[in-house]
Amino acid sequence: MKDNPKHNHHVVPKLYLKGFVIKKDEPFIWVYKRGEPYNPGDQKIKNNPYKASIKRAGAERDFYADFKEDGTKD
């Protein structure tokens, strides 16, 4: 088993996200958080939509991880 397992799992494949990249801002896209007020900018915490790299957009930490019987993530 690896010493440093991967935790950043893409829910939306990066290859699909590449189609939404604005050429002058490569490799960034605008990410909109549904249900939150419109306030555009570059910061994920303060703004909606915010600018993110395709490496981070469409990914969630441990999305495909399974839980063991003791409650820890596999």
Side-chain angles (χ1 to χ4, degrees):
M1 183 159 204
K2 294 180 181 179
D3 293 335
N4 187 11
K6 304 290 182 190
H7 292 281
N8 195 26
H9 300 149
H10 274 84
V11 180
V12 180
K14 287 191 285 186
L15 182 63
Y16 180 75
L17 294 174
K18 284 182 181 181
F20 294 94
V21 170
I22 300 168
K23 296 298 178 192
K24 67 179 179 116
D25 292 335
E26 257 184 283
F28 294 96
I29 62 172
W30 287 96
V31 179
Y32 178 77
K33 296 178 266 183
R34 184 175 33 194
E36 294 188 19
Y38 183 76
N39 180 24
D42 289 339
Q43 296 180 351
K44 181 178 180 177
I45 296 171
K46 293 180 180 181
N47 301 112
N48 185 33
Y50 63 93
K51 199 160 135 182
S53 71
I54 59 173
K55 185 176 180 179
R56 299 273 185 210
E60 291 186 31
R61 183 169 175 82
D62 295 331
F63 184 76
Y64 294 111
D66 287 326
F67 289 96
K68 298 179 186 176
E69 290 181 16
D70 62 359
T72 60
K73 291 181 182 175
D74 187 13

